[in-house]
């Protein structure tokens, strides 16, 4: 799958949801957030994204790609991603999950 900026990735999220369930998948997304977060600020910044991106296998991400990712996910306009913005962005990047998002939302609420 190609994104608007040309980065290509395989969409493993549907398989993860199937294996982990909605609650387990959301926990994994939160773990991904914690890997990228700036520990002092509590959000993902451009600097923390570039510094920690190797842990997710995207160490070759250009500054432009990192800025695009932050810009696309930054819902409150502060230039960084909080946990909710990060999880929302990750879900939006998976077309198959977007098609089944209502089912996942209901399952997560029921299990909460």
């Amino acid at each position: 799958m190609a994104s608007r900026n040309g980065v290509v990735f395989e969409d493993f999220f549907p398989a993860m949801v199937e294996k982990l369930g909605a609650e387990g998948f959301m926990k994994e997304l939160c773990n991904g957030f914690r890997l990228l977060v700036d520990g002092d600020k509590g959000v993902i910044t451009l600097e923390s994204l570039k510094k920690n991106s190797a842990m997710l296998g995207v160490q070759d991400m250009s500054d432009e790609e990192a800025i695009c990712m932050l810009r696309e996910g930054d819902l409150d306009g502060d230039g960084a991603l909080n946990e909710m913005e990060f999880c929302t962005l990750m879900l939006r990047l998976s077309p198959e999950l977007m098609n089944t998002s209502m089912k996942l939302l209901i399952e997560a609420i029921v299990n909460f």
Side-chain angles (χ1 to χ4, degrees):
M1 164 180 192
S3 73
R4 283 182 251 170
N5 63 6
V7 175
V8 177
F9 71 97
E10 180 93 20
D11 187 1
F12 293 108
F13 286 173
M16 290 175 66
V17 171
E18 191 172 317
K19 181 176 181 173
L20 302 172
E23 185 177 351
F25 176 71
M26 292 308 295
K27 285 180 183 177
E28 286 303 310
L29 282 182
C30 293
N31 289 338
F33 173 80
R34 284 190 282 282
L35 288 174
L36 297 172
V37 74
D38 177 312
D40 295 330
K41 297 179 181 176
V43 294
I44 298 173
T45 63
L46 177 60
E47 295 76 23
S48 71
L49 180 59
K50 288 171 47 179
K51 176 182 172 190
N52 300 319
S53 62
M55 286 186 265
L56 298 179
V58 290
Q59 62 273 8
D60 296 329
M61 183 186 312
S62 71
D63 285 357
E64 182 180 330
E65 291 167 334
I67 290 167
C68 284
M69 179 182 170
L70 288 173
R71 208 175 278 145
E72 180 144 352
D74 183 16
L75 301 175
D76 61 13
D78 66 356
L81 299 180
N82 61 36
E83 188 173 57
M84 187 270 310
E85 290 170 327
F86 174 78
C87 291
T88 301
L89 177 62
M90 293 298 99
L91 289 173
R92 284 179 38 219
L93 291 175
S94 174
E96 190 173 333
L97 284 185
M98 286 301 296
N99 292 335
T100 59
S101 61
M102 183 57 77
K103 177 182 173 226
L104 295 172
L105 177 61
I106 291 169
E107 184 181 334
I109 291 170
V110 168
N111 291 323
F112 185 64

